[in-house]
Amino acid sequence: FESSHDYYEYDQDQADAMQEHSEPDLVEQLRSAGSVDELMRIVYPTYRIMLKCRSKMGSRLLRREPSSTETRSEEASFAAAFINLELLKSIEIEWRKTLCMPRQVCLDVGKEFGATNTFYKPPCVSVYRCGGCCNSEELQCRNISTSYISKTLFEITVPVKQGTKPVTISFANHTSCSCLSKQNLYRQQHSIIRRALTECHVANKTCPKNHSWSNHLCKCVLLPDTLHSKPHSDFETDFCGPDKELDEETCQCECRKELRKAGCGPHHYLDKNTCQCVCKAQPSSCGPQQSFNRDTCQCTCAKVCPRSQPLNRTKCVCECTESPNKCFLKGRRFHPATCSCVRPPCNVDPKRRKCKENEYFSEELCHCIPTYWGRLD
Amino acid sequence: YRPQRDTNQEKWEQELREAGSLDELLMLTEYPDWKLWRCRLKLKHFDDVTPPENRRSTRYAAASFSPEMLKDIDDEWQKTQCMPRETCVDVAKELGTNTAVFFKPPCVSVFRCGGCCNKEGVTCRNTSMTYVNKTILSVSLAPYISGPEPVLVKIANHTECKCQEHSLIRRHARERHRKNSCSPTRKPEDKRLCNKGLIWDWMAERCVTYPSSKQEPPSAITEEDCEMDVERCECIPKEWTHRLHYT
């Protein structure tokens, strides 16, 4: 008979089997994850919110209204997440079946209480022993509590003289199990480790930006923050879309917090549907001669003015920059047609250009004026 | 008669060792009430047939066993037979992947031949099997680019078992082992190629539709090895020689 299972019996209880690392590597965390829930929390921090909202949405979906367009789009986007959740659920069920726990196994009585000239019928008994898989290679499934169960068998001694003799034998029955560290075991037992846990030969901990040294991989790896961004967006994009995330309170897809906190600036607000910054005012609120500016979210004057009459944006009218008073101060003449100050030609006899002692000839006025008036040019 | 008796004694002892059931054992040891025991099993009126008064009968006090005790032994014997049992299988070892890839959960639950054989020199092995699809998450570390990714793996599921000799099984086991160790390793560029509704098939190395059907465990078939004689209340073995040959 060849025993298909190798079972361990650990008599002493072990407390504090494994101490948690304060800052474990991401890969170490992934290796040590013991359930789908734990695994998803590491990679997708919003996984818990999705599960919580799913339980709420479950009852809500029953009361859905097919006529509503919004309900349809919401249901469609939520249904996409169901596929992923269904897959995760099947993985979770599989995971639970392989956990470290007491399992019914066949135990060879002859090997347990072996004597070559004695055999038992039945040759094996069914008892519970710790079995299953641990989530880390450093751990081993061990019993932390044991009871004893009596079994009645026929014992036959060779040469057979008295025939079969019924005997009652007590067997260890494991009642609770735990994954314990192999190194902390009191009795050192031989165990085959698929991969040897060796330290890094080169302790090179100087890494580039956004990288950190991994004692597990013996090289620089991207920081968890950088790693989380891609899977994070990939997972949530399927459900809410690129610009939205699942809100825990409302169980609705809301615009991301970064967008909400950043703000849109004056005269803008964040549209909940498109997660884009849109204007508070509406184009219809502008005047007849005005047009709506989408950049500033304000009404602007749409009137087209000639070059000589620039636009007054406040009044929304075409106005001349010059006026008769301004032209007079310049010593010129105001020309309404061109909205400019002009100077007529001075056709004066050269003789009259000679002025008295305290006077000079003004080209603007075409006349002799006193010197103390000052030059207007 | 001494030489012949010794030979018969050894032969009888060998048959005792190879007895595969309580019924067989009681018959070999010429248990006085073995016919009654057989009738009780077949009638399936275990408690009714046994009046309380008969338990303390002094006629067979020296040689008879308690019917309850016999039933317990028979039940125990049935539970430890060679048959497909739910077993935890390490996926990485089964697929033969290198250490750069690990799976979550690290094991899956499939049926594998387990239990005890009633004689030495034979082991409980599968005579037929199927492959079941398991959905798990795989994490690639060379290099670590993205988080866990769902993959589809096929694991052997034993459907029938039998106690067989060692020599035959070793060749079969080696052949299967060689096949498993040839599983290819995925390339980093293949990451996240599957669209929604598809999943990466580890063995086929392509994206397949995600199967939603659940695998059913193999049903145990119980064969009747004898016919009941109503008048004599006795079960006549149908293929007695055949059964002895198999055990």
Side-chain angles (χ1 to χ4, degrees), chain A residues 30-31 33 94 121 124 126 133, chain B residues 17 19 76 104 107 109 116:
Chain A
L30 288 177
R31 280 193 178 275
E94 187 74 31
K121 289 293 179 182
C124 300
S126 178
C133 299
Chain B
R17 282 189 179 273
E76 191 75 29
K104 288 292 179 182
C107 301
S109 178
C116 300

Side-chain angles (χ1 to χ4, degrees), chain A residues 115-128:
Chain A
T116 53
N117 64 330
T118 304
F119 64 93
Y120 298 88
K121 289 293 179 182
C124 300
V125 291
S126 178
V127 293
Y128 280 87

Side-chain angles (χ1 to χ4, degrees), chain A residues 35-54:
Chain A
S35 65
V36 168
D37 188 73
E38 191 178 337
L39 189 67
M40 299 305 287
R41 286 169 189 265
I42 296 170
V43 184
Y44 308 116
T46 58
Y47 173 74
R48 179 183 55 85
I49 303 178
M50 290 193 68
L51 287 186
K52 190 175 179 182
C53 290
R54 188 188 179 207

Side-chain angles (χ1 to χ4, degrees), chain A residues 24-191:
Chain A
D25 187 26
L26 174 64
V27 174
E28 290 292 339
Q29 292 185 72
L30 288 177
R31 280 193 178 275
S32 305
S35 65
V36 168
D37 188 73
E38 191 178 337
L39 189 67
M40 299 305 287
R41 286 169 189 265
I42 296 170
V43 184
Y44 308 116
T46 58
Y47 173 74
R48 179 183 55 85
I49 303 178
M50 290 193 68
L51 287 186
K52 190 175 179 182
C53 290
R54 188 188 179 207
S55 60
K56 291 185 181 178
M57 295 294 292
S59 59
R60 189 169 171 179
L61 285 176
L62 296 177
R63 302 187 256 101
R64 64 177 180 266
E65 299 176 359
S67 58
S68 175
T69 308
E70 292 182 359
T71 309
R72 281 183 183 176
S73 60
E74 183 180 325
E75 181 185 345
S77 64
F78 195 77
F82 265 109
I83 299 175
N84 291 336
L85 292 177
E86 180 189 346
L87 183 141
L88 294 178
K89 187 179 180 183
S90 67
I91 294 177
E92 177 70 35
I93 293 172
E94 187 74 31
W95 209 324
R96 290 184 186 278
K97 280 200 284 184
T98 61
L99 289 179
C100 169
M101 67 177 82
R103 296 169 183 271
Q104 215 168 21
V105 301
C106 298
L107 190 66
D108 190 321
V109 185
K111 292 187 177 180
E112 196 85 352
F113 305 93
T116 53
N117 64 330
T118 304
F119 64 93
Y120 298 88
K121 289 293 179 182
C124 300
V125 291
S126 178
V127 293
Y128 280 87
R129 292 293 164 91
C130 290
C133 299
C134 300
N135 299 294
S136 177
E137 288 177 339
E138 307 166 2
L139 304 177
Q140 201 168 36
C141 184
R142 297 277 182 169
N143 62 303
I144 55 180
S145 66
T146 303
S147 67
Y148 285 87
I149 186 172
S150 297
K151 301 279 185 176
T152 305
L153 309 165
F154 285 124
E155 186 183 69
I156 302 173
T157 305
V158 180
V160 182
K161 297 177 180 179
Q162 298 179 354
T164 56
K165 178 178 64 175
V167 294
T168 301
I169 306 177
S170 294
F171 296 92
N173 220 38
H174 296 172
T175 49
S176 59
C177 316
S178 180
C179 290
L180 305 177
S181 173
K182 294 176 181 176
Q183 298 176 359
N184 293 344
L185 291 175
Y186 178 73
R187 294 179 298 174
Q188 291 294 336
Q189 298 191 13
H190 175 69
S191 61

Side-chain angles (χ1 to χ4, degrees), chain B residues 133-203:
Chain B
N133 281 326
K134 295 290 183 178
T135 306
I136 55 179
L137 300 167
S138 79
V139 182
S140 178
L141 299 175
Y144 181 79
I145 299 176
S146 63
E149 178 193 359
V151 294
L152 204 66
V153 295
K154 286 184 172 63
I155 308 292
N157 207 47
H158 295 172
T159 50
E160 292 179 52
C161 312
K162 192 186 290 184
C163 294
Q164 301 184 31
E165 301 285 341
H166 283 281
S167 57
L168 178 62
I169 298 301
R170 280 174 186 171
R171 298 172 192 166
H172 190 51
R174 283 178 196 161
E175 190 173 353
R176 281 210 305 157
H177 181 67
R178 234 181 266 127
K179 189 176 182 181
N180 282 336
S181 63
C182 292
S183 64
T185 306
R186 288 183 63 187
K187 299 178 179 178
E189 304 92 64
D190 297 342
K191 279 297 181 179
R192 306 204 71 87
L193 285 178
C194 299
N195 296 324
K196 193 177 296 182
L198 301 180
I199 189 173
W200 180 259
D201 190 318
W202 192 269
M203 302 305 294

Side-chain angles (χ1 to χ4, degrees), chain A residues 327-333 343-356 358-377:
Chain A
C327 293
F328 180 77
L329 291 177
K330 294 179 181 178
R332 298 171 184 265
R333 194 171 297 170
R343 182 177 65 184
C346 184
N347 301 323
V348 179
D349 193 351
K351 292 183 180 180
R352 294 188 61 182
R353 289 179 178 266
K354 294 181 179 178
C355 302
K356 297 179 181 177
N358 293 329
E359 293 181 348
Y360 74 98
F361 187 81
S362 171
E363 290 288 340
E364 292 76 14
L365 298 180
C366 199
H367 195 270
C368 293
I369 58 176
T371 307
Y372 60 82
W373 278 18
R375 290 186 173 276
L376 299 178
D377 296 341

